[in-house]
Amino acid sequence: MTDHPNVALFHQVFAAFTAGDMNALAELFHPDVVWHAPGQSPLAGEFRGREAAFAAFQKEFQLSGGTYRPQLHDVLANDRHTVALLHATASRDGKELDMDYVIVFHIRDGRITEGWELWSDQRAYDKFWS
């Protein structure tokens, strides 16, 4: 059995994101992407457009002094949704982030059009970033 094409697309996204290759990432995100980050932290919000979403991603690295590290566990996909199961670590102001999370994507024509982050402990996640 072969993987759904959106699994391969996510692997490209993950490789570009972790390498900080914003040019490659831009090719994989629709210009009008909408990114949903829940909670009450400085990273929370609804970010409309690729520039706004990428600025939110860069803020993770800035606030963590470059220590933010996502690790991929698995990717599941069909024609309507792609779901990535991940784990993240980071350090900030003497605090440690060590948490599982999920990202749900809508993908159309080979580009991410919308994404939702879901953290296993939203309150602890917000406290880490605040």
Side-chain angles (χ1 to χ4, degrees):
M1 180 180 288
T2 60
D3 284 335
H4 191 280
N6 288 341
V7 170
L9 182 117
F10 178 78
H11 282 287
Q12 291 176 315
V13 168
F14 189 75
F17 181 83
T18 56
D21 186 347
M22 301 313 279
N23 291 329
L25 204 59
E27 294 297 317
L28 302 168
F29 274 71
H30 192 279
D32 297 324
V33 66
V34 179
W35 195 262
H36 306 274
Q40 303 298 315
S41 77
L43 299 177
E46 182 176 277
F47 305 94
R48 295 188 167 274
R50 192 168 45 211
E51 288 181 24
F54 286 10
F57 300 159
Q58 289 174 327
K59 196 169 188 179
E60 286 176 321
F61 290 101
Q62 290 170 345
L63 290 176
S64 70
T67 64
Y68 181 79
R69 297 283 183 270
Q71 301 161 335
L72 180 60
H73 288 295
D74 206 355
V75 182
L76 313 164
N78 62 28
D79 291 340
R80 297 191 63 206
H81 298 97
T82 299
V83 178
L85 308 174
L86 301 116
H87 186 85
T89 58
S91 299
R92 179 171 189 264
D93 298 333
K95 300 180 277 188
E96 298 295 322
L97 177 70
D98 189 3
M99 189 176 296
D100 292 325
Y101 69 110
V102 173
I103 301 177
V104 178
F105 298 98
H106 282 172
I107 297 174
R108 187 178 71 239
D109 299 327
R111 287 186 161 180
I112 294 172
T113 59
E114 197 159 8
W116 293 263
E117 298 174 22
L118 305 161
W119 292 88
S120 62
D121 185 342
Q122 188 66 54
R123 184 177 295 174
Y125 179 81
D126 288 345
K127 187 175 180 180
F128 174 80
W129 293 107
S130 297

